[in-house]
Amino acid sequence: MARLDSHVHPKSSDFVRNRAHMLDLLAQLSERQTVARNAGGAKAAQRLAQRGKLSPRERLERLLDRDGEFFELSPLAAWGHYDDEAPGAGVINGIGRVSGRLIMIGSNDTRVKGGAIYPLGADKMIRAQTIARENGLPTVSLVESAGANLMYQAELFAPGHRGGRGFCNQARMSAAGLPQIAIVFGNATAGGAYVPGMSDYTVMVQNQAKVFLAGPPLVKAATGADCDDETLGGAHMHHTVSGLCDYLAQDDADAIRIGRQIVANLTSKHHPVPRAVACQPAYDPEDLLGIVPSDLKIPFDIREVIARIVDASEFDEFRIGYGPTLVCGFAHIEGFQVGVLGNNGPLFSESALKATHFIQLCCQKRIPILYLQNITGFMVGVDAERKGIVKDGAKMVHAVATASVPQFTVLVGGSFGAGNYGMCGRAYDPRLLVTWPSSRIAVMGGEQAARVMRIVQEEAMRKLGIQADADELSAMESTVKEEFLRQSDPYFATSQLWDDGIIDPRHTRQVLALGLEAAWQRDVAAQPPAFGVFRM
Ligand code: COA
């Protein structure tokens, strides 16, 4: 394998400007992540402390192994939603290492409305379950939840299987041999009660955990009977009478200790994981801050990004002289082999065909695929159409959609139009999709969309024999441009779970390494591809 040459000059004015811009974006990211980490503010923290409880984040930290390896999924979900009362959508989840094993962890954020489940929180839990299922990860749920958020209950029945889907997934994952473990720290009412109910192992904290379908007030209203919550659903009752509690813990810390022990005792299926000796990139990942221009219209060589993500910056580039707007090649990340596809311009027929062939090769070799998106879309225009861009682009989209190996996507710059699909956007089920704060997603750029709408409007009026008012058209143009700008903002995307999180570019390699390790929890090599390689 050849080491990539870098042409980045950290002292150049472009680099310095790009870096300053990226640092501004990262300061904003960090500020927002801090808000999410401190959900509920001082009031919620004080309340938990008064009750002798750990906060959800402290529980998580104690559950994880000492190195704290954890990739938090969508920490800024629901940003700008629900009057900003539920940063992270009231849920904390992610992939982490517990007792030496990679698992999925989900926690209600009890600091927000008693851990009640918001619609986007339900979506976020389901996304985490999808990741757990695809990668074969056991799940530990840290439970303290008031059940459905009654202010948004109707939305829980929206398309997308929010209402109850999480419990359905728990049963199916258990049936597929993926252990479900619940640790209950406090109230788990109604929907909150079903998480331990559907788990293979349950741990409850004595005098704190209360699990019931309906609390004492609702029981009184429904049946007229008086009861106290300990008799109705206390941990001791569930341990000695109902049988819902397998392990009775003395306090939060004891419950976490028991949870770690359960994970340590899980049997694991061993299969060969082809992993080379890992080594750091030859070029400093710190340089990633200065590579993406603040103006996404300015091109940059995606090889500069690859050189700072892959082991030893070594890259075996495939068909280098053909379809140069798409860079394809083989590399390793922390010792895991990957096929990398990165954009160096719009996708032409040649680049789409090269990608199709390359994706098939990765499936043949049984290695995961990484897409680095900075894409304005497929090429448009007479030449491109006559050459068959629709059918060649469709071949690429087909290869991405049916690839039989795990795929990962990082949006480093623009992600526009069908380029988003062709480069394994959300709809193509990459195992993880993360974005850099410099990214933007839209069907096209705001300026192009505004111009398209102006032309369409002018044409419609011309057909009616009306002279279009230039001022009105300009006003419409700027409205469209502003809307596109707002909606293509990475925070707009992440708030609605279009991705699995916005990350610092310097952490890309670590996030991908964790994702690749998770993917190899299942035997990637076990399923042969359905086809051979069609030469394109
Ligand atoms: N939906 C929306 N908000 C809820 C909620 C729910 N299901 N349950 C609680 N909240 C809110 C409260 O209004 C309160 O809001 P505030 O911080 O703005 O004042 C906050 O969550 C904390 O609730 P509180 O009752 O003060 O906390 P607690 O720790 O003393 O009690 C519960 C927690 C869960 C036992 C109690 O709130 C409760 O019984 N909630 C109703 C549970 C229920 O019946 N769910 C049915 C869902 S189908």
Side-chain angles (χ1 to χ4, degrees), residues 86 122 249 283 294 338 344 418 461:
Y283 300 102
S294 51
V338 280
N344 259 0
M461 296 186 88

Side-chain angles (χ1 to χ4, degrees), residues 43 47 51 112-116 145-151 187 189-191 212-215 218:
K43 190 177 147 207
R47 196 176 156 126
R51 294 181 180 183
V112 180
K113 301 290 176 192
S145 170
N149 189 313
L150 298 175
M151 308 308 287
N187 284 288
T189 313
F212 30 59
L213 292 184
L218 185 51

Side-chain angles (χ1 to χ4, degrees), residues 513-533:
L514 194 70
L516 286 161
E517 188 183 342
W520 273 103
Q521 301 301 300
R522 283 204 188 289
D523 190 354
V524 176
Q527 291 281 325
F531 295 102
V533 178

Side-chain angles (χ1 to χ4, degrees), residues 114-281:
I117 299 157
Y118 288 77
L120 281 166
D123 291 345
K124 187 168 155 178
M125 288 184 204
I126 290 169
R127 170 67 188 148
Q129 289 180 318
T130 303
I131 293 172
R133 181 177 45 74
E134 288 176 342
N135 294 290
L137 306 179
T139 299
V140 172
S141 303
L142 308 179
V143 187
E144 182 159 17
S145 170
N149 189 313
L150 298 175
M151 308 308 287
Y152 300 98
Q153 61 86 25
E155 287 179 49
L156 288 168
F157 297 94
H161 314 300
R162 284 167 170 169
R165 182 60 177 213
F167 316 131
C168 172
N169 286 341
Q170 278 188 279
R172 289 180 181 169
M173 284 198 281
S174 176
L178 301 179
Q180 305 292 302
I181 300 151
I183 308 177
V184 189
F185 296 92
N187 284 288
T189 313
Y194 271 98
V195 176
M198 301 300 293
S199 289
D200 308 344
Y201 303 84
T202 61
V203 183
M204 294 187 195
V205 179
Q206 65 182 9
N207 305 323
Q208 297 273 19
K210 314 251 176 342
V211 180
F212 30 59
L213 292 184
L218 185 51
V219 170
K220 173 82 177 165
T223 68
D226 286 311
C227 55
D228 66 87
D229 53 8
E230 202 55 51
T231 315
L232 186 67
H236 191 263
M237 185 286 285
H238 282 307
H239 188 56
T240 56
V241 182
S242 79
L244 179 60
C245 167
D246 305 317
Y247 299 87
L248 193 62
Q250 287 166 17
D251 54 22
D252 284 13
D254 190 36
I256 289 161
R257 181 192 62 75
I258 297 169
R260 285 182 53 82
Q261 192 59 50
I262 294 172
V263 176
N265 289 339
L266 295 175
T267 49
S268 62
K269 296 178 200 120
H270 289 288
H271 58 79
V273 178
R275 190 171 182 180
V277 176
C279 53
Q280 292 302 309

Side-chain angles (χ1 to χ4, degrees), residues 170-459:
Q170 278 188 279
R172 289 180 181 169
M173 284 198 281
S174 176
L178 301 179
Q180 305 292 302
I181 300 151
I183 308 177
V184 189
F185 296 92
N187 284 288
T189 313
Y194 271 98
V195 176
M198 301 300 293
S199 289
D200 308 344
Y201 303 84
T202 61
V203 183
M204 294 187 195
V205 179
Q206 65 182 9
N207 305 323
Q208 297 273 19
K210 314 251 176 342
V211 180
F212 30 59
L213 292 184
L218 185 51
V219 170
K220 173 82 177 165
T223 68
D226 286 311
C227 55
D228 66 87
D229 53 8
E230 202 55 51
T231 315
L232 186 67
H236 191 263
M237 185 286 285
H238 282 307
H239 188 56
T240 56
V241 182
S242 79
L244 179 60
C245 167
D246 305 317
Y247 299 87
L248 193 62
Q250 287 166 17
D251 54 22
D252 284 13
D254 190 36
I256 289 161
R257 181 192 62 75
I258 297 169
R260 285 182 53 82
Q261 192 59 50
I262 294 172
V263 176
N265 289 339
L266 295 175
T267 49
S268 62
K269 296 178 200 120
H270 289 288
H271 58 79
V273 178
R275 190 171 182 180
V277 176
C279 53
Q280 292 302 309
Y283 300 102
D284 192 350
E286 187 70 26
D287 295 345
L288 289 170
L289 300 182
I291 290 172
V292 182
S294 51
D295 179 355
L296 288 182
K297 285 199 210 99
I298 301 172
F300 62 92
D301 190 349
I302 199 72
R303 291 181 192 85
E304 298 288 3
V305 173
I306 297 170
R308 287 158 181 85
I309 291 180
V310 305
D311 290 5
S313 305
E314 285 183 349
F315 189 55
D316 175 11
E317 192 162 343
F318 174 75
R319 217 185 278 177
I320 193 166
Y322 181 85
T325 60
L326 189 80
V327 174
C328 302
F330 300 106
H332 288 82
I333 295 179
E334 286 288 349
F336 294 106
Q337 201 183 8
V338 280
V340 184
L341 292 91
N343 303 115
N344 259 0
L347 289 161
F348 289 82
S349 273
E350 291 83 354
S351 20
L353 291 174
K354 178 165 88 170
T356 309
H357 191 119
F358 183 72
I359 292 164
Q360 294 178 90
L361 285 179
C362 294
C363 295
Q364 187 85 334
K365 280 164 73 93
R366 310 309 300 154
I367 59 168
I369 304 172
L370 166 64
Y371 299 84
L372 297 172
Q373 286 199 9
N374 177 34
I375 173 78
T376 46
F378 286 90
M379 192 61 199
V380 298
V382 175
D383 284 352
E385 298 292 357
R386 289 172 67 89
K387 213 161 177 201
I389 188 68
V390 174
K391 70 182 170 64
D392 292 337
K395 287 180 191 124
M396 177 176 176
V397 171
H398 196 108
V400 174
T402 59
S404 53
V405 291
Q407 306 191 89
F408 297 85
T409 305
V410 183
L411 272 59
V412 304
S415 174
F416 295 106
N420 172 281
Y421 316 145
M423 291 293 290
C424 202
R426 189 58 134 182
Y428 291 78
D429 298 328
R431 291 285 173 97
L432 283 179
L433 186 155
V434 291
T435 71
W436 287 5
S438 44
S439 68
R440 300 222 155 250
I441 307 182
V443 290
M444 61 176 82
E447 277 169 33
Q448 291 86 335
R451 241 174 288 138
V452 168
M453 287 310 294
R454 184 178 186 126
I455 293 167
V456 169
Q457 189 73 9
E458 274 175 336
E459 190 59 17

